[in-house]
Amino acid sequence: MMQTIAVAPPPLTRMLVEQGLAVRHDTLPPDVRTVARDCLADWLACAFAALDEPASRIVAEMAREEGGHAQASVLGCSWRGSLSQAALVNGTVSHALDYDDVNLSVPGHMSAAILPAVVALAEYRGSTPRDLIAAFVAGYELACRVGMLVEPAHYANGFHTTATIGCLGAAMACSHLLGLSREQACHAIGIAATQAAGLKAMFGSMAKPLHAGLAAQAGLRAALLAGKGFISRTDVLECEQGYAAVHGADFHVALALSPPVNKGVDACGFHLLNNLFKFHAACYSTHSTIEAIARLRAEHDLTADAVSRIEVVAGEACSICNIQDPATALQAKFSLRATAAFAMLGIDTSSLETWGQVATPAIAALLQRVQVRLVPGMTLSDSIVTVHRYDGTSFTLAYDCGDPIADKALQSDRVRAKFRAIALPALGEARAVAILSRLASFEEQDDVAGLLALCGADR
C-alpha cells in the first residue's frame, strides 16, 4: 500500500513579510508614489466629508469620553487621542460614506484600513512622509497578496475583507514603519490575524465602517505588541487551522506570490496600481450599472417616464448591493435597484446629498420598474443593463468599471476635484487649499505633523 506523504506548504507568511520589509521609497516607481499620494488625499477627503455622520460622531464621542494619552490627531476634532483611538476613529470616519477607494484583488477598502493606523503611528514617531508612503505601500501589497491567496472563497463565505484582510495590511505597514525584524513582523501578522473579524452581513449598517476602524486599530496594536516582544505563530497564513484554512477553502500560493498585472501603465508588479477610486458615492459594485445607464441615456435620449422596465444583470457576489427596498441613504448605496433609478433620473450619484432622496415618490415609483438578476461567472465590477421603453424598443449595454485610470495625472486631477467637492464644506476654502498644497509636496516635507495640524477642528 502506497503511503501518501503530506507536502508542507511554503513559508508564505515569512515570504510576504520579507517582501513588505524590503519596500524602499527610493526604489518605488513614480506611478506607485503618485497613487499612494492619491490614496492619502482620497482617504482624507472621505473622512472630512463624513465628520457629521452618526457613526463618526458616536465613535469619536466614545473615544473622547474614554480619555487617554494625547498621542495622535483625530480628524476633525479639537482633541488628540491615543494611537489606538486615532486609528479606530479615523478608520471608521473614512469609511462612513462608503466613498473610499477599493481594490478588487482583495476585494475591499485597503486605504481605509491601513492609512488610519500608519498615519497615527507616523505622526507619533515623527516619521517622514517618505517613510509613511513606503510603509503604506508595504502594507497595501501584503493585503492584496493575501486577497489573492484566499479569494474568492473568503469573501463568498461572508467575510468583509476590509476588516479581515485590512488588519493584516495595517500590521505590515506599521511593522515597516517601526523597523521591526522579520521575526517580529511575522509575529505582528499573527497577532493581527487572530483579531481578524468582520461580516458582510453588516453592509448597510454603521457596523460596516466600524470594520475599517477596528482593522486599523488591530493592525497597529499587533505591530506595537510585536515590537515589545509579544509573540504569536510566525506561519499564521499557511499553518494548519491558520488564517487561510479557517477563512475559506481557497489557498492560491502561486497567485499570492506572483506579480500582479497592471493595465495601461509603464511600471508593473504593484497591486497599488490597480487601486480604484470611487467617483460615485455608493458600493463599487453598483458603479458599472450607473455608468451603463448614464451612457444609454445619453446615446438614446432616454427619459425615465418613457421607461417601462430596467433589467440589471450582475454577478452572484453582488448580493452585497442588492437591497431590494432601501429605506435609508446608507441602504440606498447598497441597492442596485436604487442606484439604477438614480442614474435613470439623471440624479448626480457623485453628490453626498443624493442618497437621502431614496424615499421620494419619483425614486420609489421607478424602483418598482427595476429588476436585478444575479448570475454566476460575472465579477464584482461587471454589469449588463437593458432598458425597455413603453414603445417596445429596448437598449442593452455591458459595462465593467474594474480597470484603473491609466493616465495617473488625470487620476490625480479627479481625486483633487473630488476632495474639493466633498471636503470643502467641512474645511472651508482656505484650509482645503492648504491641505491640497501640503499633499502636492508631501514627500518633500520633513514630517507629517504639518499636514495633520490642518486636519483638526476648525468649525
Side-chain angles (χ1 to χ4, degrees):
M1 182 176 179
M2 183 177 294
Q3 183 180 4
T4 301
I5 301 175
V7 178
L12 187 64
T13 306
R14 176 178 61 77
M15 295 168 76
L16 295 186
V17 162
E18 286 176 343
Q19 289 181 358
L21 292 177
V23 172
R24 292 292 179 268
H25 181 273
D26 290 347
T27 60
L28 291 175
D31 277 353
V32 173
R33 298 200 300 268
T34 295
V35 177
R37 290 193 302 272
D38 288 345
C39 288
L40 179 58
D42 189 76
W43 173 70
L44 286 172
C46 293
F48 291 133
L51 291 177
D52 289 328
E53 289 295 303
S56 304
R57 289 188 283 102
I58 291 169
V59 174
E61 184 62 17
M62 184 198 73
R64 188 190 65 79
E65 289 174 355
E66 285 178 347
H69 294 297
Q71 296 174 312
S73 297
V74 179
L75 299 176
C77 294
S78 58
W79 51 276
R80 290 161 58 82
S82 67
L83 287 172
S84 180
Q85 290 168 336
L88 175 67
V89 177
N90 294 341
T92 302
V93 172
S94 66
H95 195 42
L97 293 172
D98 220 280
Y99 208 173
D100 46 311
D101 58 38
V102 301
N103 192 301
L104 297 180
S105 68
V106 183
H109 304 261
M110 293 303 99
S111 294
I114 298 171
L115 282 172
V118 75
V119 166
L121 185 60
E123 180 188 16
Y124 178 65
R125 288 176 54 82
S127 304
T128 68
R130 293 159 65 89
D131 293 337
L132 170 60
I133 293 296
F136 169 64
V137 172
Y140 192 106
E141 294 301 312
L142 179 134
C144 290
R145 290 182 179 277
V146 172
M148 298 299 291
L149 176 72
V150 300
E151 296 302 341
H154 180 79
Y155 197 73
N157 283 354
F159 290 106
H160 182 201
T161 53
T162 302
T164 54
I165 296 179
C167 66
L168 305 182
M172 181 70 253
C174 292
S175 295
H176 190 287
L177 197 65
L178 288 168
L180 299 189
S181 69
R182 182 188 71 188
E183 191 80 3
Q184 289 173 318
C186 286
H187 285 305
I189 298 301
I191 299 167
T194 206
Q195 301 176 80
L199 302 174
K200 279 165 42 183
M202 297 301 165
F203 285 14
S205 77
M206 291 185 195
K208 184 177 190 284
L210 180 64
H211 289 168
L214 290 172
Q217 186 183 60
L220 173 59
R221 179 190 298 121
L224 290 171
L225 284 170
K228 291 182 179 296
F230 200 95
I231 65 171
S232 68
R233 289 196 66 135
T234 58
D235 59 349
V236 69
L237 294 177
E238 68 272 16
C239 68
E240 183 177 357
Q241 294 194 322
Y243 182 92
V246 170
H247 281 254
D250 287 323
F251 188 65
H252 305 300
V253 175
L255 290 178
L257 294 174
S258 298
V261 176
N262 301 129
K263 300 177 182 178
V265 293
D266 293 332
C268 63
F270 288 86
H271 284 282
L272 186 61
L273 293 175
N274 290 330
N275 190 76
L276 300 167
F277 293 94
K278 285 187 175 182
F279 300 106
H280 302 288
C283 176
Y284 202 82
S285 290
T286 69
H287 288 207
S288 287
T289 295
I290 294 170
E291 292 287 347
I293 291 176
R295 282 162 171 73
L296 288 173
R297 283 183 71 247
E299 184 177 350
H300 302 288
D301 195 25
L302 298 175
T303 58
D305 58 0
V307 171
S308 61
R309 185 163 48 98
I310 301 173
E311 294 180 74
V312 177
V313 180
E316 285 179 329
C318 292
S319 59
I320 58 173
C321 55
N322 195 28
I323 295 177
Q324 291 295 298
D325 297 298
T328 66
L330 194 54
Q331 290 177 346
K333 297 179 180 186
F334 291 90
S335 173
L336 282 163
R337 296 182 77 204
T339 51
F342 283 128
M344 182 51 66
L345 287 164
I347 298 173
D348 182 7
T349 49
S350 70
S351 170
L352 299 176
E353 308 303 319
T354 289
W355 306 94
Q357 301 178 47
V358 68
T360 61
I363 296 294
L366 188 52
L367 197 70
Q368 302 311 310
R369 287 178 267 157
V370 180
Q371 300 173 349
V372 176
R373 183 162 55 94
L374 303 182
V375 301
M378 294 178 68
T379 72
L380 280 166
S381 61
D382 283 329
S383 182
I384 303 171
V385 174
T386 302
V387 178
H388 300 269
R389 292 198 298 196
Y390 287 112
D391 64 7
T393 58
S394 63
F395 308 95
T396 299
L397 181 64
Y399 197 85
D400 183 355
C401 63
D403 289 341
I405 300 172
D407 184 339
K408 298 309 177 190
L410 173 62
Q411 173 184 281
S412 297
D413 288 344
R414 293 191 67 183
V415 170
R416 286 192 292 266
K418 175 182 171 181
F419 185 101
R420 294 186 188 93
I422 68 174
L424 195 142
L427 295 171
E429 178 73 26
R431 221 163 36 123
V433 170
I435 290 173
L436 285 173
S437 177
R438 278 273 178 180
L439 289 169
S441 60
F442 186 57
E443 289 154 280
E444 300 168 17
Q445 296 158 31
D446 294 329
D447 55 41
V448 303
L451 172 64
L452 291 170
L454 297 167
C455 295
D458 187 27
R459 40 184 205 140

